[in-house]
Amino acid sequence: MDDLESRAQMQQHFDKAISDILIKQPYLEAIKKAIHAVEIATAWRVEGTLREFAKFKPVNMWFSYPVHEVDTLGVLADIQLEENKPSWQKAKDSRKSKVEKSKERNQKLETAYSALFDGSTPVSLDEIREYLDVKTTKTVENYIKEHDGFDTKKGIVFKITTSKEKEK
């Protein structure tokens, strides 16, 4: 009975039962068509709200172009939709925490500085502002204040080197 649920096991039984390729050919074509039909089928749930009447029970369907077929076996009945969350809940779930935002800003600043600093010419706040595509240099200054590894003096950005980095 377990073999009926396994495509690989049923394929082995088929190969053992019918060894002649000429006899197998029509069955192989039918198998290809069935596999193709399963691969192109999509699941749909139709719900409706009627103005003067009560809401009707959702209808689950399979769509295989160009035909919709109602799911009479109930395969789709227990599928949980992602759309069940209200919009405010989805928005709340997608928001980043303060720590994640801070890490992201630090990473952007490090990337901008390493891309702009050639080893000799200092990097200005304006250059980083243009690289990060932010509106004001005040935003860049806030990024730098938030990051422990950078400082600014007279519009120039400096990387702060610790004593451990100097030893390396």
Side-chain angles (χ1 to χ4, degrees):
M1 291 300 284
D2 289 341
D3 289 354
L4 290 174
E5 301 296 325
S6 169
R7 182 176 179 263
Q9 291 295 328
M10 292 306 294
Q11 184 71 42
Q12 287 179 358
H13 290 303
F14 175 71
D15 292 339
K16 286 178 187 176
I18 305 171
S19 59
D20 187 5
I21 190 68
L22 293 175
I23 297 172
K24 274 187 186 180
Q25 192 58 37
Y27 296 109
L28 292 174
E29 290 297 322
I31 290 170
K32 280 184 186 177
K33 285 182 183 178
I35 290 171
H36 179 69
V38 168
E39 288 174 346
I40 66 167
T42 57
W44 292 80
R45 178 170 292 159
V46 178
E47 297 177 339
T49 304
L50 306 172
R51 193 177 296 176
E52 285 87 20
F53 300 99
K55 216 175 186 182
F56 61 84
K57 187 177 171 183
V59 179
N60 296 318
M61 297 184 207
W62 291 105
F63 176 68
S64 185
Y65 181 81
V67 178
H68 283 88
E69 293 182 37
V70 175
D71 176 31
T72 55
L73 299 175
V75 174
L76 301 174
D78 61 345
I79 292 177
Q80 191 69 18
L81 300 177
E82 294 176 11
E83 307 299 314
N84 286 346
K85 289 184 180 178
S87 298
W88 65 268
Q89 184 70 39
K90 289 182 211 172
K92 184 180 175 190
D93 292 346
S94 67
R95 286 189 197 119
K96 295 178 184 173
S97 70
K98 287 183 179 182
V99 173
E100 289 173 325
K101 287 180 184 177
S102 176
K103 284 181 182 179
E104 188 177 297
R105 287 190 294 267
N106 287 346
Q107 184 61 42
K108 284 181 181 179
L109 181 61
E110 290 169 10
T111 303
Y113 187 83
S114 63
L116 296 169
F117 186 62
D118 62 2
S120 60
T121 309
V123 179
S124 71
L125 284 171
D126 284 330
E127 289 173 323
I128 291 180
R129 180 188 55 77
E130 287 176 20
Y131 185 90
L132 294 176
D133 196 28
V134 292
K135 292 184 180 182
T136 64
T137 54
K138 187 69 177 168
T139 304
V140 177
E141 289 172 353
N142 290 335
Y143 281 21
I144 292 169
K145 285 178 187 174
E146 187 178 304
H147 196 291
D148 294 335
F150 293 97
D151 195 13
T152 59
K153 289 182 185 169
K154 298 182 182 178
I156 303 297
V157 180
F158 297 96
K159 192 168 189 177
I160 299 172
T161 54
T162 62
S163 58
K164 289 181 184 178
E165 288 179 7
K166 288 179 183 177
E167 292 173 8
K168 291 180 184 178

